[in-house]
Amino acid sequence: MPIKMDRQNLPALDSDERNSLLKDDVSEDSEQAESKYLQIKNWIKSQEIQELNSNSSNSLFQNNDPSSIYRACAVPKPPNTAKPRHRKLERAFSLDEKPWRRRFRTSRESLTDPLENGSSSGSLQEAEGSSRHCASLHSKGPTMDSDLATHNRVSAVVPPLSQMKCTQPLPQLELNVSSRALRTANRIDSDYMDYKHSTHQRFIRQSSSLSDTRLNSNMVCHHCSVESMKSTYSLLTPIRSKDVRSRSFMEGSLLASGALLGADELDRYFPERKVGIFIATWNMQGKKELPENLDDFLLPPDDDFAQDMYVIGVQEGSPDRREWEIRLQETLGPHYVMLQSAAHGVLYLSIFIRRDLIWFCSEVEIASVTTRMVSQIKTKGALAMAFTFFGTSFLFITSHFTSGEGKVCERLLDYKKIIEGLPLPRNIPDTNPYRSNSSDVTSRFDEAFWFGDFNFRLNKDRGGVNSILQHKMEKDMSRLLQYDQLLMEMKDGSIFKGFEEAEIQFLPTYKFDIGCDAYDSTTKQRTPSYTDRVLYKSRNRGDIKVNKYSSCSVVKTSDHRPVFASFEVRIRPGRDNIPLAAGLFDRELYLLGIKRRMTKELQKRQAAKTQKSSSVCTIS
């Protein structure tokens, strides 16, 4: 039952305490609220003293210390009523404390967990209570010293949560511009703010370059870039003005930092110093009709990435050579340009390279040799191209040897005539003249690739080959290759000295009926053979690694199946003493190929749109 007390019944207070309380009264309403509060407080104290006096064994009562008695009491007290605020502070309170209380009230309702102690909701409640108590202290002044002591004791019972610390060091933030997040946004999410403690060091912009498919791991960065990845630099390598002043672009050594073909420039584009090369050979049988799609030939579906360089050799090529080159450019797309193309009769050779690598090539030198002098049409012979890429010299030869199952000696003579008759290199300096041989063109280059229709057959009759082919050999062609003429001659050292060939795991590529997978069904019944081959040779053993060696069974417009191989070739830095091509390429062919791609894409879209509209039937 509540007790009604008036001002006359209040117990006597000390003069100092009464003056301090009355000093803050600014209105009659505030006096009434304060008097009620003091009445309740003193009444509770008197009740506690009376209850404790009944226990004479308590030593605290003998000291007659009211403060000690109050501290020893375990009787809970009602919550403190906030003292009326000064009217001058009313606006500040409304702008600050009320929204703060609403925010924590909402957090408390959503975070309170009655089954968990020491949770974050408990700390929020404690913070709210502490804020209210501090507000009352500011409004009441020294009269609330006892309440402050009580608050300190309560805070000691429930200690505040300490700052959480990681037991293990944070992983280093990956400052990789190839990261999808850093390439699509210019800032790091706020969740990564903790990484700034481990990335205080200042990162320096290093020499790097970004091509279409390879991104270097270094980038422009500052010690505060973990908070914002804003940069005014591009992803190109910076060029210092003093380097532009002193750099000689046509001179330099292998390790000079200013050399255009030196080690620094090489490491920018090829950190592992390896270039990917795709080499293909195909006897087109002189057909004018070209395949509708060359994607499976130049871009095999099981390859994840395209190569840096494409070299395509053709024997008995199509009469419309320009159309063939346009089709190649159309298939490879705008990322590649044709560095050089040449023809020797019906022998065609084309070299495509990625467009950002054309600045590091020398001029391409071309040479050819005819092995059949009687024929007016140059169908047999060899066509070669040579150039230097950085500090590595390359030689590519495509050839067509004498045909016939028993004409092995004629083919050996063709080989000897070619290696002695190709006058390469002319103006390109030899990278290692001490290992060159004047009678062998392949010895004058670091890396040599020889591919074409060599016309070497299998020394077995048609019936015996057919019986072997009937077995499911899968990729083991050893039963057929033991009769291969080329492997026999290479083993004896009579041809292709120093050359190697990857393991053959595909069926013979000659001779098929046009448009099908059946071997020769005519009256001649030619024996299936491995006439189309790709061989390689290197001055330094281990510089060339074969990634794939196969044939394309999809292209069936000729009696030969195309054969291709992809290589990984180690390259070295070079000197700036070579006749640079200076970015020269066939611009007209490039534009024609891109236009052809765009036209076909528009036709496909229009056909799809027409088919979609025609499939809808309306009834009026």
Side-chain angles (χ1 to χ4, degrees):
M1 177 177 180
I3 301 175
K4 181 177 180 181
M5 295 182 293
D6 54 8
R7 189 176 183 84
Q8 289 75 12
N9 295 329
L10 287 174
L13 300 174
D14 295 340
S15 59
D16 294 339
E17 185 176 2
R18 180 179 295 275
N19 292 334
S20 61
L21 292 173
L22 296 176
K23 188 182 297 182
D24 296 333
D25 293 340
V26 295
S27 63
E28 184 177 356
D29 295 338
S30 63
E31 290 180 358
Q32 293 178 0
E34 179 186 1
S35 62
K36 291 181 178 180
Y37 171 74
L38 292 176
Q39 289 173 10
I40 296 173
K41 178 179 177 181
N42 290 309
W43 180 83
I44 292 174
K45 287 185 178 181
S46 62
Q47 294 295 328
E48 294 172 354
I49 293 173
Q50 292 177 7
E51 183 178 359
L52 293 176
N53 285 335
S54 61
N55 189 2
S56 59
S57 62
N58 196 335
S59 60
L60 293 177
F61 291 98
Q62 297 176 2
N63 296 333
N64 197 15
D65 186 2
S67 61
S68 301
I69 296 172
Y70 181 74
R71 287 192 299 269
C73 293
V75 180
K77 65 176 182 178
N80 296 333
T81 58
K83 188 175 184 240
R85 299 173 300 277
H86 198 282
R87 294 188 182 275
K88 293 182 179 180
L89 301 177
E90 181 68 25
R91 178 173 177 81
F93 184 87
S94 63
L95 293 178
D96 184 21
E97 186 174 358
K98 290 181 178 180
W100 187 87
R101 287 182 178 180
R102 283 198 303 270
R103 182 169 64 253
F104 276 95
R105 187 183 302 113
T106 305
S107 301
R108 180 177 57 190
E109 293 174 356
S110 60
L111 298 178
T112 300
D113 187 359
L115 300 178
E116 183 177 356
N117 295 329
S119 63
S120 59
S121 61
S123 62
L124 294 179
Q125 297 174 6
E126 180 184 350
E128 182 179 358
S130 176
S131 175
R132 291 179 178 176
H133 186 66
C134 292
S136 64
L137 285 178
H138 286 294
S139 62
K140 289 184 178 299
T143 61
M144 304 303 295
D145 292 341
S146 60
D147 294 338
L148 180 60
T150 304
H151 171 73
N152 293 335
R153 288 193 300 273
V154 174
S155 300
V157 176
V158 184
L161 294 176
S162 60
Q163 185 178 3
M164 297 181 62
K165 296 182 180 180
C166 296
T167 58
Q168 299 179 354
L170 292 173
Q172 187 176 0
L173 176 62
E174 181 184 2
L175 296 177
N176 190 347
V177 295
S178 63
S179 172
R180 181 177 300 175
L182 298 187
R183 291 175 63 186
T184 56
N186 288 329
R187 66 181 181 84
I188 291 181
D189 195 18
S190 58
D191 295 339
Y192 290 90
M193 291 296 294
D194 292 337
Y195 284 96
K196 65 182 180 180
H197 300 293
S198 60
T199 55
H200 280 309
Q201 64 273 19
R202 183 182 182 88
F203 292 90
I204 302 176
R205 180 181 174 95
Q206 301 181 0
S207 297
S208 62
S209 177
L210 303 178
S211 57
D212 293 333
T213 58
R214 183 184 290 113
L215 295 175
N216 205 325
S217 61
N218 298 322
M219 65 174 297
V220 179
C221 186
H222 192 264
H223 67 279
C224 61
S225 61
V226 292
E227 299 177 4
S228 175
M229 294 303 296
K230 296 178 181 178
S231 174
T232 58
Y233 293 94
S234 68
L235 296 179
L236 298 175
T237 303
I239 303 175
R240 296 180 298 185
S241 58
K242 67 177 183 179
D243 292 337
V244 178
R245 284 174 173 266
S246 61
R247 184 175 181 178
S248 177
F249 290 89
M250 295 307 298
E251 296 179 1
S253 62
L254 293 175
L255 301 179
S257 59
L260 180 62
L261 306 178
D264 291 346
E265 201 77 6
L266 174 61
D267 292 337
R268 288 176 54 205
Y269 287 86
F270 299 97
E272 299 180 359
R273 297 191 176 185
K274 295 179 181 179
V275 62
I277 300 179
F278 179 94
I279 295 179
T281 177
W282 184 27
N283 188 322
M284 301 177 66
Q285 203 184 5
K287 300 293 182 180
K288 185 176 181 179
E289 298 78 10
L290 297 176
E292 296 182 359
N293 194 341
L294 295 177
D295 290 345
D296 293 331
F297 176 30
L298 300 178
L299 304 170
D302 53 346
D303 288 350
D304 295 331
F305 299 97
Q307 305 299 321
D308 299 308
M309 196 180 305
Y310 284 80
V311 184
I312 302 98
V314 172
Q315 306 83 41
E316 298 183 13
S318 171
D320 192 350
R321 172 191 162 199
R322 191 60 174 176
E323 177 63 21
W324 166 247
E325 294 174 351
I326 294 175
R327 295 290 299 275
L328 294 176
Q329 178 70 74
E330 176 190 353
T331 303
L332 294 177
H335 294 289
Y336 297 87
V337 296
M338 190 171 73
L339 182 64
Q340 188 59 264
S341 178
H344 177 69
V346 291
L347 290 175
Y348 303 155
L349 183 59
S350 304
I351 298 178
F352 288 83
I353 192 171
R354 284 181 55 165
R355 62 187 184 189
D356 46 356
L357 301 177
I358 59 177
W359 307 102
F360 310 106
C361 300
S362 69
E363 294 178 350
V364 181
E365 296 181 347
I366 305 172
S368 60
V369 173
T370 300
T371 56
R372 182 182 293 181
M373 302 298 297
V374 178
S375 175
Q376 296 181 356
I377 301 177
K378 300 175 182 179
T379 58
K380 299 294 188 293
L383 177 62
M385 288 187 183
F387 65 96
T388 298
F389 183 68
F390 280 98
T392 302
S393 57
F394 288 89
L395 174 66
F396 300 97
I397 305 175
T398 182
S399 62
H400 193 185
F401 291 168
T402 302
S403 61
E405 294 184 2
K407 297 183 178 180
V408 178
C409 295
E410 287 80 353
R411 288 189 277 272
L412 296 179
L413 292 176
D414 292 344
Y415 164 77
K416 184 177 180 180
K417 189 173 184 179
I418 291 171
I419 62 174
E420 294 178 354
L422 289 175
L424 294 175
R426 298 189 184 96
N427 300 322
I428 302 175
D430 194 342
T431 56
N432 193 346
Y434 300 102
R435 301 180 62 180
S436 299
N437 187 353
S438 59
S439 61
D440 187 356
V441 65
T442 61
S443 67
R444 300 193 286 269
F445 294 88
D446 294 324
E447 320 295 342
F449 297 89
W450 200 326
F451 46 98
D453 183 3
F454 298 152
N455 263 321
F456 285 97
R457 312 299 175 89
L458 295 178
N459 287 333
K460 196 172 184 60
D461 57 1
R462 175 67 181 270
V465 173
N466 287 339
S467 63
I468 296 176
L469 291 175
Q470 290 177 358
H471 296 81
K472 296 182 179 179
M473 297 183 295
E474 295 182 354
K475 294 184 178 181
D476 185 12
M477 304 297 168
S478 58
R479 296 184 61 185
L480 286 176
L481 294 174
Q482 61 180 340
Y483 305 106
D484 184 69
Q485 295 176 352
L486 178 59
L487 293 179
M488 295 178 182
E489 298 298 331
M490 289 180 64
K491 187 177 181 180
D492 294 339
S494 57
I495 193 175
F496 293 116
K497 296 179 181 180
F499 280 86
E500 300 179 62
E501 184 181 18
E503 182 182 0
I504 297 177
Q505 298 179 346
F506 51 89
L507 295 174
T509 58
Y510 173 85
K511 176 181 189 327
F512 287 91
D513 292 338
I514 303 299
C516 63
D517 293 328
Y519 287 101
D520 187 15
S521 60
T522 63
T523 56
K524 293 184 177 182
Q525 291 288 304
R526 295 181 176 88
T527 303
S529 302
Y530 294 98
T531 58
D532 309 280
R533 314 287 275 268
V534 178
L535 308 179
Y536 61 93
K537 177 183 179 180
S538 177
R539 276 178 173 174
N540 301 282
R541 188 173 183 85
D543 279 0
I544 300 179
K545 176 185 176 182
V546 183
N547 293 330
K548 177 183 286 189
Y549 189 33
S550 182
S551 65
C552 181
S553 59
V554 179
V555 180
K556 303 176 182 180
T557 58
S558 170
D559 58 348
H560 289 255
R561 294 289 185 264
V563 175
F564 62 89
S566 59
F567 300 91
E568 190 177 274
V569 183
R570 181 176 178 82
I571 53 178
R572 293 173 174 80
R575 303 176 183 271
D576 293 347
N577 59 350
I578 63 175
L580 288 174
L584 182 64
F585 67 97
D586 194 331
R587 181 176 179 272
E588 181 183 359
L589 179 70
Y590 183 81
L591 296 177
L592 288 174
I594 302 305
K595 183 178 179 181
R596 186 79 64 85
R597 287 176 68 100
M598 294 176 59
T599 303
K600 287 190 174 182
E601 182 65 25
L602 293 176
Q603 291 176 353
K604 289 181 181 179
R605 294 182 180 180
Q606 184 64 29
K609 184 178 179 181
T610 303
Q611 183 179 5
K612 183 178 179 180
S613 60
S614 63
S615 61
V616 179
C617 180
T618 58
I619 301 176
S620 57

